[in-house]
Each structure stands twice: as C-alpha cells, then as structure tokens.
Amino acid sequence: MNSSVPPFSSRLRCRMQLITISELRCYCLIRQEVFLNRGRQQKMSQTAARLLGLLSLLMVPRTWSGTELAERLNVSSRTVRTDIGTLRDLGYPVEGTRGGEGGYRLGSGGSAVPPLLLNPDEAVAVAVGLHSGLSCIIGGMEETSAQALAKLEQILPATVRNRVKNLAHFTVPLAGNHPMPIVDPNLLTLIIEYCHSHERFRFTYTSETGASSDPGGTPSNRERGGEFEVEPYRLVNHQHRWFLLTFDPGEEAWMIFRVEHIVPKLPGGRRFEPRALPAEDIGAYVERNVSASRWKHAATVTVDAEASEVMKMLMPAEGTVEALDEQRSTVKIGAETVSTMALTLARLDVEFVVEDSPELNAELRALSDRLLRATTQAGPAAAHRPTSI
C-alpha cells in the first residue's frame, strides 16, 4: 500500500473531495435534524388546521358527539378529545356532556378572551365597526378601536386587508353642527348592569334643564345637583346622545335622562319587580318625548285624518299623534321656530285646524300669502321663459 495515500478509516473520497468520518457524521446529523424539523413543522401545520376545523364545527350552535367530530375531521376519537383539551387550554369554553345524547358544544364564555375565528366577510364587518369607533361618542374608545383595528389588519389576508384599507381611505365621517357629548364606557356598562339585575339606580343629575318625563314636564326638583333613585330599563342612542329610560317610583312617572349628565352613587338601591314598558317601540317613544322637551314652540292641531295616516306624514321628532275619533286625530306639534311648524303642517295632505297658537296661525297666513304671490307673479312671463337643461 502506498504510504502517501491516507487509510480509508480516516479518509473518504466523495465526489472528488476528501472528508473525515467525523465530518460525514456531522453532515448526516444535520440532515436528520432538518428532516425532523420539517416533519415537526408539517405536523404543527396539520394540528393547527385540524384545530381550526374543529373550532369551526363547534361554533355551529348545536351539540356534536365525539364520533361526529371524528368523522368530520377524519381523525380518531382520541385525537378529538386531545384537540378539545387544547382548545380549552387556549381559553375556549368547550362544554362536554356524557350519555347517549351527550357531546361537545361551545359555551357562552370563559375567564379569558380566546382567539377568534372569522371568515373574510366577518373580518370586514368587524373592521367597519372598529373604524366607526374611531369617531365614537363613547369616551376613551378611540384609542382602543385603533389598536384593535391595527391588530386585525396585521393578520388579514392581502385581499381582505386591501378591502379594509379602502374602507378607511374612501369613507369620511361627517362631523355634526353641534359637539357630541362624550360618555364614559364604564358608566354605560354600570347602567346596563343595573338594568339587567333589576336594581334601583342612584345618581346625581348635573343638567340645568333636568330630565324629560312623560308628558314632558319638568318639576322644580329637577335642577342641577338633583339626586334620583329610579328603576332603570333601557339605554337609547338618539342623534349621537345616550338617553336612559327609567321609572321614578316617587313621581309615579316614566323619566328620561341624558347619560352624560349622570354621576352615579354607590351602592345602588334595592331590587325591584320590572313593570311593563310605556311603549312597544322604545326608540320612537324616547325620540318623541326627548324632542318634545326641547321644543321652543309648540301647538295643538286637529287633523281631519286617522291617527295611523297622520303618523306616516310626520317624523317622530316633529310631533305626537293621538286618535280623536275614527276620522280625526290630535297632533301636538313643535319645533325651534314657528315657521318650521308652519312648513310641517303645509306638508300634510289633509285639512287641519290650529287650536291654541295665534303665532302659528299668523305664520300659516303669511306662508299662504307668500305662496299665492309666487303663483300669480309667475303668470304670462313664465310661459316665455326658456327651459334650461
């Protein structure tokens, strides 16, 4: 043997290169680790996909047996039980029952907020809501909405992300003529808890104008710093303001408060037995009474039409309608100006009589004369006026 050639035990010729046995062993170990990592990644990917599929099934409001889930996911029942445990560890409240009709279903909530599974349309809908929250009338929600929207956009697929970005770019919120009152979200949550638990709500009311009640009177004790203990029933958002519908046992009357003027007092009052609401449509009820309490001018008008027909002609903020008999109705109309009231009545396509407002009658006569002059002055000259296109 030529002594210049290294022995095979220490050298190996491979592709015209000499490597040591230790180098070959290291190379093999590296390849093995790469193969194992690739297998782990593939297994993790399969597990994640299986968990998402299981979660999608559990989000259907029904009870699934272990066998059904195993067949849907094409896995064993043991794997289903393991995946159920994994979802529980992630915070999903998966409920399980035993017996012939037992199975699994997603509960109503847990101690932590788990990841949420959304399809593209649902993700866009959530983004729309978060984008609206950037100009929200609930105090402190702007920054929270922006943070949640940024997190959502980061994980969205490219096509869905573009839809959300287009939404933010091409939609512009229009600011109102009057500043919107900002309401603390903790106050809204507190009021809702009182409504749910049927517990009297104690608070100080800081408004100079006081609360609005049915039929809109303002007793003398409703002033700045007035204290109340009422039965809370509903929160209503109307024209960018929050209103609380309550019943005052002391006054024996339904009352409506603007939430931004409420300063709660703790603890709350005693529990109460809920009573029937004053109307089926609480939103329309609050709108009608809140509008009436803000009117600077008001009048009573008898209209020669059924109440149901008159309601179709008037907006709730313009007046309230009550049936007088089968053919007539009584309308309590109001507005910031008498001229606005006159224009509202002129829009009615029926006969009417103003009962108690000389100012409104005078405005109606002035409007009638003005309209009459407009039609008579447009006589022959109007026939020769060129038509513009």
Side-chain angles (χ1 to χ4, degrees), residues 15 30 36 46 61 79 86 96 98-99 134 145 195 202 205 215 220 235 243 245 256 279 287 298-299 306 327:
R15 293 185 180 180
I30 292 175
L36 291 176
Q46 292 174 350
T79 302
T86 302
R98 297 180 180 276
L134 299 180
S145 298
C195 293
R202 299 171 59 245
Y205 199 62
S220 58
L235 274 173
F243 295 90
L245 173 66
I256 302 170
E287 181 181 19
E306 297 180 3
Q327 301 297 328

mmCIF file with all atom_site columns, all heavy atoms in Angstrom, residues 15 30 36 46 61 79 86 96 98-99 134 145 195 202 205 215 220 235 243 245 256 279 287 298-299 306 327:
data_model
loop_
_atom_site.group_PDB
_atom_site.id
_atom_site.type_symbol
_atom_site.label_atom_id
_atom_site.label_alt_id
_atom_site.label_comp_id
_atom_site.label_asym_id
_atom_site.label_entity_id
_atom_site.label_seq_id
_atom_site.pdbx_PDB_ins_code
_atom_site.Cartn_x
_atom_site.Cartn_y
_atom_site.Cartn_z
_atom_site.occupancy
_atom_site.B_iso_or_equiv
_atom_site.pdbx_formal_charge
_atom_site.auth_seq_id
_atom_site.auth_comp_id
_atom_site.auth_asym_id
_atom_site.auth_atom_id
_atom_site.pdbx_PDB_model_num
ATOM 1   N N   . ARG A 1 15  ? -17.085  12.462 -4.303 1.00 0.00 ? 15  ARG A N   1
ATOM 2   C CA  . ARG A 1 15  ? -17.206  13.485 -5.332 1.00 0.00 ? 15  ARG A CA  1
ATOM 3   C C   . ARG A 1 15  ? -15.902  14.274 -5.483 1.00 0.00 ? 15  ARG A C   1
ATOM 4   O O   . ARG A 1 15  ? -15.865  15.503 -5.481 1.00 0.00 ? 15  ARG A O   1
ATOM 5   C CB  . ARG A 1 15  ? -18.369  14.442 -5.034 1.00 0.00 ? 15  ARG A CB  1
ATOM 6   C CG  . ARG A 1 15  ? -19.725  13.778 -5.115 1.00 0.00 ? 15  ARG A CG  1
ATOM 7   C CD  . ARG A 1 15  ? -20.854  14.782 -4.923 1.00 0.00 ? 15  ARG A CD  1
ATOM 8   N NE  . ARG A 1 15  ? -22.130  14.122 -5.013 1.00 0.00 ? 15  ARG A NE  1
ATOM 9   C CZ  . ARG A 1 15  ? -23.298  14.761 -4.887 1.00 0.00 ? 15  ARG A CZ  1
ATOM 10  N NH1 . ARG A 1 15  ? -23.311  16.057 -4.657 1.00 0.00 ? 15  ARG A NH1 1
ATOM 11  N NH2 . ARG A 1 15  ? -24.418  14.088 -4.996 1.00 0.00 ? 15  ARG A NH2 1
ATOM 12  N N   . ILE A 1 30  ? -26.950  16.694 10.704 1.00 0.00 ? 30  ILE A N   1
ATOM 13  C CA  . ILE A 1 30  ? -27.621  17.931 10.266 1.00 0.00 ? 30  ILE A CA  1
ATOM 14  C C   . ILE A 1 30  ? -28.785  17.597 9.338  1.00 0.00 ? 30  ILE A C   1
ATOM 15  O O   . ILE A 1 30  ? -29.890  18.147 9.463  1.00 0.00 ? 30  ILE A O   1
ATOM 16  C CB  . ILE A 1 30  ? -26.614  18.868 9.569  1.00 0.00 ? 30  ILE A CB  1
ATOM 17  C CG1 . ILE A 1 30  ? -25.603  19.400 10.589 1.00 0.00 ? 30  ILE A CG1 1
ATOM 18  C CG2 . ILE A 1 30  ? -27.338  20.029 8.889  1.00 0.00 ? 30  ILE A CG2 1
ATOM 19  C CD1 . ILE A 1 30  ? -24.501  20.230 9.964  1.00 0.00 ? 30  ILE A CD1 1
ATOM 20  N N   . LEU A 1 36  ? -36.231  16.130 10.549 1.00 0.00 ? 36  LEU A N   1
ATOM 21  C CA  . LEU A 1 36  ? -37.131  16.084 11.707 1.00 0.00 ? 36  LEU A CA  1
ATOM 22  C C   . LEU A 1 36  ? -37.871  17.407 11.889 1.00 0.00 ? 36  LEU A C   1
ATOM 23  O O   . LEU A 1 36  ? -39.064  17.426 12.206 1.00 0.00 ? 36  LEU A O   1
ATOM 24  C CB  . LEU A 1 36  ? -36.329  15.734 12.961 1.00 0.00 ? 36  LEU A CB  1
ATOM 25  C CG  . LEU A 1 36  ? -35.764  14.315 13.034 1.00 0.00 ? 36  LEU A CG  1
ATOM 26  C CD1 . LEU A 1 36  ? -34.906  14.133 14.286 1.00 0.00 ? 36  LEU A CD1 1
ATOM 27  C CD2 . LEU A 1 36  ? -36.900  13.281 13.018 1.00 0.00 ? 36  LEU A CD2 1
ATOM 28  N N   . GLN A 1 46  ? -50.513  20.671 10.368 1.00 0.00 ? 46  GLN A N   1
ATOM 29  C CA  . GLN A 1 46  ? -51.697  19.810 10.334 1.00 0.00 ? 46  GLN A CA  1
ATOM 30  C C   . GLN A 1 46  ? -52.521  19.951 11.606 1.00 0.00 ? 46  GLN A C   1
ATOM 31  O O   . GLN A 1 46  ? -53.755  19.986 11.565 1.00 0.00 ? 46  GLN A O   1
ATOM 32  C CB  . GLN A 1 46  ? -51.254  18.361 10.142 1.00 0.00 ? 46  GLN A CB  1
ATOM 33  C CG  . GLN A 1 46  ? -50.640  18.068 8.782  1.00 0.00 ? 46  GLN A CG  1
ATOM 34  C CD  . GLN A 1 46  ? -50.093  16.659 8.689  1.00 0.00 ? 46  GLN A CD  1
ATOM 35  O OE1 . GLN A 1 46  ? -49.997  15.946 9.698  1.00 0.00 ? 46  GLN A OE1 1
ATOM 36  N NE2 . GLN A 1 46  ? -49.733  16.241 7.470  1.00 0.00 ? 46  GLN A NE2 1
ATOM 37  N N   . PRO A 1 61  ? -74.208  26.455 16.502 1.00 0.00 ? 61  PRO A N   1
ATOM 38  C CA  . PRO A 1 61  ? -74.941  26.321 17.769 1.00 0.00 ? 61  PRO A CA  1
ATOM 39  C C   . PRO A 1 61  ? -75.698  24.990 17.889 1.00 0.00 ? 61  PRO A C   1
ATOM 40  O O   . PRO A 1 61  ? -76.905  24.913 17.712 1.00 0.00 ? 61  PRO A O   1
ATOM 41  C CB  . PRO A 1 61  ? -75.904  27.520 17.741 1.00 0.00 ? 61  PRO A CB  1
ATOM 42  C CG  . PRO A 1 61  ? -76.107  27.806 16.290 1.00 0.00 ? 61  PRO A CG  1
ATOM 43  C CD  . PRO A 1 61  ? -74.799  27.485 15.632 1.00 0.00 ? 61  PRO A CD  1
ATOM 44  N N   . THR A 1 79  ? -58.019  11.588 19.233 1.00 0.00 ? 79  THR A N   1
ATOM 45  C CA  . THR A 1 79  ? -57.483  12.860 18.755 1.00 0.00 ? 79  THR A CA  1
ATOM 46  C C   . THR A 1 79  ? -58.466  13.997 18.994 1.00 0.00 ? 79  THR A C   1
ATOM 47  O O   . THR A 1 79  ? -58.071  15.109 19.343 1.00 0.00 ? 79  THR A O   1
ATOM 48  C CB  . THR A 1 79  ? -57.145  12.761 17.259 1.00 0.00 ? 79  THR A CB  1
ATOM 49  O OG1 . THR A 1 79  ? -56.202  11.716 17.059 1.00 0.00 ? 79  THR A OG1 1
ATOM 50  C CG2 . THR A 1 79  ? -56.576  14.065 16.738 1.00 0.00 ? 79  THR A CG2 1
ATOM 51  N N   . THR A 1 86  ? -56.915  20.936 24.020 1.00 0.00 ? 86  THR A N   1
ATOM 52  C CA  . THR A 1 86  ? -56.080  22.037 23.547 1.00 0.00 ? 86  THR A CA  1
ATOM 53  C C   . THR A 1 86  ? -56.882  23.325 23.412 1.00 0.00 ? 86  THR A C   1
ATOM 54  O O   . THR A 1 86  ? -56.427  24.407 23.800 1.00 0.00 ? 86  THR A O   1
ATOM 55  C CB  . THR A 1 86  ? -55.454  21.671 22.193 1.00 0.00 ? 86  THR A CB  1
ATOM 56  O OG1 . THR A 1 86  ? -54.694  20.463 22.334 1.00 0.00 ? 86  THR A OG1 1
ATOM 57  C CG2 . THR A 1 86  ? -54.541  22.782 21.699 1.00 0.00 ? 86  THR A CG2 1
ATOM 58  N N   . GLY A 1 96  ? -68.737  19.812 27.700 1.00 0.00 ? 96  GLY A N   1
ATOM 59  C CA  . GLY A 1 96  ? -68.922  18.402 27.358 1.00 0.00 ? 96  GLY A CA  1
ATOM 60  C C   . GLY A 1 96  ? -69.935  17.749 28.272 1.00 0.00 ? 96  GLY A C   1
ATOM 61  O O   . GLY A 1 96  ? -69.963  18.014 29.475 1.00 0.00 ? 96  GLY A O   1
ATOM 62  N N   . ARG A 1 98  ? -72.028  13.886 29.128 1.00 0.00 ? 98  ARG A N   1
ATOM 63  C CA  . ARG A 1 98  ? -71.986  12.439 28.936 1.00 0.00 ? 98  ARG A CA  1
ATOM 64  C C   . ARG A 1 98  ? -73.373  11.906 28.614 1.00 0.00 ? 98  ARG A C   1
ATOM 65  O O   . ARG A 1 98  ? -74.368  12.609 28.742 1.00 0.00 ? 98  ARG A O   1
ATOM 66  C CB  . ARG A 1 98  ? -71.440  11.759 30.192 1.00 0.00 ? 98  ARG A CB  1
ATOM 67  C CG  . ARG A 1 98  ? -70.001  12.153 30.531 1.00 0.00 ? 98  ARG A CG  1
ATOM 68  C CD  . ARG A 1 98  ? -69.535  11.449 31.786 1.00 0.00 ? 98  ARG A CD  1
ATOM 69  N NE  . ARG A 1 98  ? -68.167  11.804 32.135 1.00 0.00 ? 98  ARG A NE  1
ATOM 70  C CZ  . ARG A 1 98  ? -67.082  11.234 31.629 1.00 0.00 ? 98  ARG A CZ  1
ATOM 71  N NH1 . ARG A 1 98  ? -67.222  10.238 30.751 1.00 0.00 ? 98  ARG A NH1 1
ATOM 72  N NH2 . ARG A 1 98  ? -65.873  11.618 31.997 1.00 0.00 ? 98  ARG A NH2 1
ATOM 73  N N   . GLY A 1 99  ? -73.431  10.632 28.236 1.00 0.00 ? 99  GLY A N   1
ATOM 74  C CA  . GLY A 1 99  ? -74.706  9.992  27.968 1.00 0.00 ? 99  GLY A CA  1
ATOM 75  C C   . GLY A 1 99  ? -74.973  9.808  26.499 1.00 0.00 ? 99  GLY A C   1
ATOM 76  O O   . GLY A 1 99  ? -74.182  10.219 25.624 1.00 0.00 ? 99  GLY A O   1
ATOM 77  N N   . LEU A 1 134 ? -63.527  54.949 15.786 1.00 0.00 ? 134 LEU A N   1
ATOM 78  C CA  . LEU A 1 134 ? -62.517  56.000 15.829 1.00 0.00 ? 134 LEU A CA  1
ATOM 79  C C   . LEU A 1 134 ? -63.148  57.368 16.001 1.00 0.00 ? 134 LEU A C   1
ATOM 80  O O   . LEU A 1 134 ? -62.485  58.317 16.430 1.00 0.00 ? 134 LEU A O   1
ATOM 81  C CB  . LEU A 1 134 ? -61.665  55.970 14.549 1.00 0.00 ? 134 LEU A CB  1
ATOM 82  C CG  . LEU A 1 134 ? -60.881  54.667 14.318 1.00 0.00 ? 134 LEU A CG  1
ATOM 83  C CD1 . LEU A 1 134 ? -60.091  54.757 13.030 1.00 0.00 ? 134 LEU A CD1 1
ATOM 84  C CD2 . LEU A 1 134 ? -59.955  54.383 15.494 1.00 0.00 ? 134 LEU A CD2 1
ATOM 85  N N   . SER A 1 145 ? -60.127  51.299 19.793 1.00 0.00 ? 145 SER A N   1
ATOM 86  C CA  . SER A 1 145 ? -60.565  50.891 18.454 1.00 0.00 ? 145 SER A CA  1
ATOM 87  C C   . SER A 1 145 ? -59.395  50.902 17.481 1.00 0.00 ? 145 SER A C   1
ATOM 88  O O   . SER A 1 145 ? -59.260  49.998 16.647 1.00 0.00 ? 145 SER A O   1
ATOM 89  C CB  . SER A 1 145 ? -61.686  51.818 17.958 1.00 0.00 ? 145 SER A CB  1
ATOM 90  O OG  . SER A 1 145 ? -62.817  51.742 18.795 1.00 0.00 ? 145 SER A OG  1
ATOM 91  N N   . CYS A 1 195 ? -79.738  47.670 34.889 1.00 0.00 ? 195 CYS A N   1
ATOM 92  C CA  . CYS A 1 195 ? -80.929  47.263 34.123 1.00 0.00 ? 195 CYS A CA  1
ATOM 93  C C   . CYS A 1 195 ? -81.093  45.742 34.171 1.00 0.00 ? 195 CYS A C   1
ATOM 94  O O   . CYS A 1 195 ? -82.206  45.234 34.333 1.00 0.00 ? 195 CYS A O   1
ATOM 95  C CB  . CYS A 1 195 ? -80.807  47.732 32.675 1.00 0.00 ? 195 CYS A CB  1
ATOM 96  S SG  . CYS A 1 195 ? -80.846  49.528 32.434 1.00 0.00 ? 195 CYS A SG  1
ATOM 97  N N   . ARG A 1 202 ? -79.040  54.849 41.699 1.00 0.00 ? 202 ARG A N   1
ATOM 98  C CA  . ARG A 1 202 ? -78.921  56.092 42.433 1.00 0.00 ? 202 ARG A CA  1
ATOM 99  C C   . ARG A 1 202 ? -77.861  56.968 41.772 1.00 0.00 ? 202 ARG A C   1
ATOM 100 O O   . ARG A 1 202 ? -76.758  56.510 41.478 1.00 0.00 ? 202 ARG A O   1
ATOM 101 C CB  . ARG A 1 202 ? -78.550  55.819 43.898 1.00 0.00 ? 202 ARG A CB  1
ATOM 102 C CG  . ARG A 1 202 ? -79.569  54.986 44.638 1.00 0.00 ? 202 ARG A CG  1
ATOM 103 C CD  . ARG A 1 202 ? -79.082  54.545 46.012 1.00 0.00 ? 202 ARG A CD  1
ATOM 104 N NE  . ARG A 1 202 ? -78.758  55.684 46.854 1.00 0.00 ? 202 ARG A NE  1
ATOM 105 C CZ  . ARG A 1 202 ? -77.538  55.965 47.305 1.00 0.00 ? 202 ARG A CZ  1
ATOM 106 N NH1 . ARG A 1 202 ? -76.514  55.189 46.982 1.00 0.00 ? 202 ARG A NH1 1
ATOM 107 N NH2 . ARG A 1 202 ? -77.334  57.019 48.072 1.00 0.00 ? 202 ARG A NH2 1
ATOM 108 N N   . TYR A 1 205 ? -77.867  64.204 39.106 1.00 0.00 ? 205 TYR A N   1
ATOM 109 C CA  . TYR A 1 205 ? -78.083  64.670 37.732 1.00 0.00 ? 205 TYR A CA  1
ATOM 110 C C   . TYR A 1 205 ? -77.599  66.104 37.631 1.00 0.00 ? 205 TYR A C   1
ATOM 111 O O   . TYR A 1 205 ? -78.090  66.993 38.328 1.00 0.00 ? 205 TYR A O   1
ATOM 112 C CB  . TYR A 1 205 ? -79.560  64.566 37.377 1.00 0.00 ? 205 TYR A CB  1
ATOM 113 C CG  . TYR A 1 205 ? -79.835  64.584 35.888 1.00 0.00 ? 205 TYR A CG  1
ATOM 114 C CD1 . TYR A 1 205 ? -79.329  63.591 35.066 1.00 0.00 ? 205 TYR A CD1 1
ATOM 115 C CD2 . TYR A 1 205 ? -80.611  65.587 35.311 1.00 0.00 ? 205 TYR A CD2 1
ATOM 116 C CE1 . TYR A 1 205 ? -79.575  63.591 33.706 1.00 0.00 ? 205 TYR A CE1 1
ATOM 117 C CE2 . TYR A 1 205 ? -80.870  65.595 33.953 1.00 0.00 ? 205 TYR A CE2 1
ATOM 118 C CZ  . TYR A 1 205 ? -80.345  64.597 33.151 1.00 0.00 ? 205 TYR A CZ  1
ATOM 119 O OH  . TYR A 1 205 ? -80.593  64.591 31.808 1.00 0.00 ? 205 TYR A OH  1
ATOM 120 N N   . PRO A 1 215 ? -95.620  63.588 30.409 1.00 0.00 ? 215 PRO A N   1
ATOM 121 C CA  . PRO A 1 215 ? -95.617  64.063 29.027 1.00 0.00 ? 215 PRO A CA  1
ATOM 122 C C   . PRO A 1 215 ? -94.621  65.168 28.737 1.00 0.00 ? 215 PRO A C   1
ATOM 123 O O   . PRO A 1 215 ? -94.862  66.001 27.875 1.00 0.00 ? 215 PRO A O   1
ATOM 124 C CB  . PRO A 1 215 ? -97.042  64.568 28.858 1.00 0.00 ? 215 PRO A CB  1
ATOM 125 C CG  . PRO A 1 215 ? -97.389  65.119 30.192 1.00 0.00 ? 215 PRO A CG  1
ATOM 126 C CD  . PRO A 1 215 ? -96.675  64.266 31.198 1.00 0.00 ? 215 PRO A CD  1
ATOM 127 N N   . SER A 1 220 ? -89.954  71.149 39.666 1.00 0.00 ? 220 SER A N   1
ATOM 128 C CA  . SER A 1 220 ? -88.961  72.071 40.203 1.00 0.00 ? 220 SER A CA  1
ATOM 129 C C   . SER A 1 220 ? -87.757  71.370 40.811 1.00 0.00 ? 220 SER A C   1
ATOM 130 O O   . SER A 1 220 ? -86.684  71.938 40.889 1.00 0.00 ? 220 SER A O   1
ATOM 131 C CB  . SER A 1 220 ? -89.607  72.955 41.267 1.00 0.00 ? 220 SER A CB  1
ATOM 132 O OG  . SER A 1 220 ? -90.154  72.150 42.303 1.00 0.00 ? 220 SER A OG  1
ATOM 133 N N   . LEU A 1 235 ? -81.261  51.781 27.674 1.00 0.00 ? 235 LEU A N   1
ATOM 134 C CA  . LEU A 1 235 ? -80.375  52.816 27.154 1.00 0.00 ? 235 LEU A CA  1
ATOM 135 C C   . LEU A 1 235 ? -80.695  53.013 25.676 1.00 0.00 ? 235 LEU A C   1
ATOM 136 O O   . LEU A 1 235 ? -80.771  52.046 24.921 1.00 0.00 ? 235 LEU A O   1
ATOM 137 C CB  . LEU A 1 235 ? -78.912  52.413 27.319 1.00 0.00 ? 235 LEU A CB  1
ATOM 138 C CG  . LEU A 1 235 ? -78.229  52.731 28.648 1.00 0.00 ? 235 LEU A CG  1
ATOM 139 C CD1 . LEU A 1 235 ? -76.849  52.093 28.677 1.00 0.00 ? 235 LEU A CD1 1
ATOM 140 C CD2 . LEU A 1 235 ? -78.125  54.221 28.868 1.00 0.00 ? 235 LEU A CD2 1
ATOM 141 N N   . PHE A 1 243 ? -79.486  58.213 26.079 1.00 0.00 ? 243 PHE A N   1
ATOM 142 C CA  . PHE A 1 243 ? -80.591  58.520 26.986 1.00 0.00 ? 243 PHE A CA  1
ATOM 143 C C   . PHE A 1 243 ? -80.931  57.274 27.799 1.00 0.00 ? 243 PHE A C   1
ATOM 144 O O   . PHE A 1 243 ? -80.875  56.154 27.288 1.00 0.00 ? 243 PHE A O   1
ATOM 145 C CB  . PHE A 1 243 ? -81.824  58.984 26.213 1.00 0.00 ? 243 PHE A CB  1
ATOM 146 C CG  . PHE A 1 243 ? -81.636  60.291 25.479 1.00 0.00 ? 243 PHE A CG  1
ATOM 147 C CD1 . PHE A 1 243 ? -81.167  60.308 24.165 1.00 0.00 ? 243 PHE A CD1 1
ATOM 148 C CD2 . PHE A 1 243 ? -81.917  61.497 26.097 1.00 0.00 ? 243 PHE A CD2 1
ATOM 149 C CE1 . PHE A 1 243 ? -80.985  61.500 23.498 1.00 0.00 ? 243 PHE A CE1 1
ATOM 150 C CE2 . PHE A 1 243 ? -81.734  62.697 25.432 1.00 0.00 ? 243 PHE A CE2 1
ATOM 151 C CZ  . PHE A 1 243 ? -81.271  62.701 24.127 1.00 0.00 ? 243 PHE A CZ  1
ATOM 152 N N   . LEU A 1 245 ? -83.891  55.459 29.897 1.00 0.00 ? 245 LEU A N   1
ATOM 153 C CA  . LEU A 1 245 ? -85.321  55.392 30.211 1.00 0.00 ? 245 LEU A CA  1
ATOM 154 C C   . LEU A 1 245 ? -85.488  54.762 31.586 1.00 0.00 ? 245 LEU A C   1
ATOM 155 O O   . LEU A 1 245 ? -85.014  53.648 31.831 1.00 0.00 ? 245 LEU A O   1
ATOM 156 C CB  . LEU A 1 245 ? -86.061  54.569 29.157 1.00 0.00 ? 245 LEU A CB  1
ATOM 157 C CG  . LEU A 1 245 ? -87.540  54.285 29.453 1.00 0.00 ? 245 LEU A CG  1
ATOM 158 C CD1 . LEU A 1 245 ? -88.357  55.576 29.431 1.00 0.00 ? 245 LEU A CD1 1
ATOM 159 C CD2 . LEU A 1 245 ? -88.107  53.272 28.467 1.00 0.00 ? 245 LEU A CD2 1
ATOM 160 N N   . ILE A 1 256 ? -86.825  60.281 31.434 1.00 0.00 ? 256 ILE A N   1
ATOM 161 C CA  . ILE A 1 256 ? -85.723  60.067 30.500 1.00 0.00 ? 256 ILE A CA  1
ATOM 162 C C   . ILE A 1 256 ? -84.586  61.015 30.865 1.00 0.00 ? 256 ILE A C   1
ATOM 163 O O   . ILE A 1 256 ? -84.794  62.222 30.981 1.00 0.00 ? 256 ILE A O   1
ATOM 164 C CB  . ILE A 1 256 ? -86.172  60.316 29.046 1.00 0.00 ? 256 ILE A CB  1
ATOM 165 C CG1 . ILE A 1 256 ? -87.343  59.393 28.689 1.00 0.00 ? 256 ILE A CG1 1
ATOM 166 C CG2 . ILE A 1 256 ? -85.014  60.093 28.082 1.00 0.00 ? 256 ILE A CG2 1
ATOM 167 C CD1 . ILE A 1 256 ? -88.010  59.740 27.368 1.00 0.00 ? 256 ILE A CD1 1
ATOM 168 N N   . ALA A 1 279 ? -94.141  51.702 26.011 1.00 0.00 ? 279 ALA A N   1
ATOM 169 C CA  . ALA A 1 279 ? -94.455  51.581 24.579 1.00 0.00 ? 279 ALA A CA  1
ATOM 170 C C   . ALA A 1 279 ? -93.746  50.361 24.026 1.00 0.00 ? 279 ALA A C   1
ATOM 171 O O   . ALA A 1 279 ? -92.756  49.890 24.591 1.00 0.00 ? 279 ALA A O   1
ATOM 172 C CB  . ALA A 1 279 ? -94.038  52.845 23.825 1.00 0.00 ? 279 ALA A CB  1
ATOM 173 N N   . GLU A 1 287 ? -87.477  59.114 21.390 1.00 0.00 ? 287 GLU A N   1
ATOM 174 C CA  . GLU A 1 287 ? -87.300  60.185 20.406 1.00 0.00 ? 287 GLU A CA  1
ATOM 175 C C   . GLU A 1 287 ? -88.430  61.198 20.486 1.00 0.00 ? 287 GLU A C   1
ATOM 176 O O   . GLU A 1 287 ? -88.212  62.407 20.450 1.00 0.00 ? 287 GLU A O   1
ATOM 177 C CB  . GLU A 1 287 ? -87.229  59.588 18.997 1.00 0.00 ? 287 GLU A CB  1
ATOM 178 C CG  . GLU A 1 287 ? -87.017  60.625 17.903 1.00 0.00 ? 287 GLU A CG  1
ATOM 179 C CD  . GLU A 1 287 ? -86.978  60.004 16.526 1.00 0.00 ? 287 GLU A CD  1
ATOM 180 O OE1 . GLU A 1 287 ? -87.469  58.865 16.370 1.00 0.00 ? 287 GLU A OE1 1
ATOM 181 O OE2 . GLU A 1 287 ? -86.471  60.657 15.603 1.00 0.00 ? 287 GLU A OE2 1
ATOM 182 N N   . ALA A 1 298 ? -94.605  75.211 20.509 1.00 0.00 ? 298 ALA A N   1
ATOM 183 C CA  . ALA A 1 298 ? -95.475  74.039 20.390 1.00 0.00 ? 298 ALA A CA  1
ATOM 184 C C   . ALA A 1 298 ? -96.916  74.494 20.192 1.00 0.00 ? 298 ALA A C   1
ATOM 185 O O   . ALA A 1 298 ? -97.288  75.623 20.529 1.00 0.00 ? 298 ALA A O   1
ATOM 186 C CB  . ALA A 1 298 ? -95.368  73.155 21.635 1.00 0.00 ? 298 ALA A CB  1
ATOM 187 N N   . ALA A 1 299 ? -97.722  73.599 19.632 1.00 0.00 ? 299 ALA A N   1
ATOM 188 C CA  . ALA A 1 299 ? -99.136  73.901 19.385 1.00 0.00 ? 299 ALA A CA  1
ATOM 189 C C   . ALA A 1 299 ? -99.917  72.604 19.285 1.00 0.00 ? 299 ALA A C   1
ATOM 190 O O   . ALA A 1 299 ? -99.342  71.539 19.031 1.00 0.00 ? 299 ALA A O   1
ATOM 191 C CB  . ALA A 1 299 ? -99.300  74.723 18.102 1.00 0.00 ? 299 ALA A CB  1
ATOM 192 N N   . GLU A 1 306 ? -107.180 59.868 10.049 1.00 0.00 ? 306 GLU A N   1
ATOM 193 C CA  . GLU A 1 306 ? -106.938 58.874 11.095 1.00 0.00 ? 306 GLU A CA  1
ATOM 194 C C   . GLU A 1 306 ? -105.515 59.011 11.634 1.00 0.00 ? 306 GLU A C   1
ATOM 195 O O   . GLU A 1 306 ? -104.606 59.434 10.931 1.00 0.00 ? 306 GLU A O   1
ATOM 196 C CB  . GLU A 1 306 ? -107.146 57.468 10.540 1.00 0.00 ? 306 GLU A CB  1
ATOM 197 C CG  . GLU A 1 306 ? -108.559 57.187 10.067 1.00 0.00 ? 306 GLU A CG  1
ATOM 198 C CD  . GLU A 1 306 ? -108.706 55.783 9.518  1.00 0.00 ? 306 GLU A CD  1
ATOM 199 O OE1 . GLU A 1 306 ? -107.695 55.035 9.572  1.00 0.00 ? 306 GLU A OE1 1
ATOM 200 O OE2 . GLU A 1 306 ? -109.791 55.428 9.049  1.00 0.00 ? 306 GLU A OE2 1
ATOM 201 N N   . GLN A 1 327 ? -112.195 59.410 12.500 1.00 0.00 ? 327 GLN A N   1
ATOM 202 C CA  . GLN A 1 327 ? -111.858 60.206 11.323 1.00 0.00 ? 327 GLN A CA  1
ATOM 203 C C   . GLN A 1 327 ? -110.896 61.350 11.613 1.00 0.00 ? 327 GLN A C   1
ATOM 204 O O   . GLN A 1 327 ? -110.391 61.973 10.685 1.00 0.00 ? 327 GLN A O   1
ATOM 205 C CB  . GLN A 1 327 ? -113.143 60.797 10.700 1.00 0.00 ? 327 GLN A CB  1
ATOM 206 C CG  . GLN A 1 327 ? -114.153 59.752 10.273 1.00 0.00 ? 327 GLN A CG  1
ATOM 207 C CD  . GLN A 1 327 ? -113.620 58.848 9.179  1.00 0.00 ? 327 GLN A CD  1
ATOM 208 O OE1 . GLN A 1 327 ? -112.830 59.284 8.343  1.00 0.00 ? 327 GLN A OE1 1
ATOM 209 N NE2 . GLN A 1 327 ? -114.059 57.591 9.165  1.00 0.00 ? 327 GLN A NE2 1
#
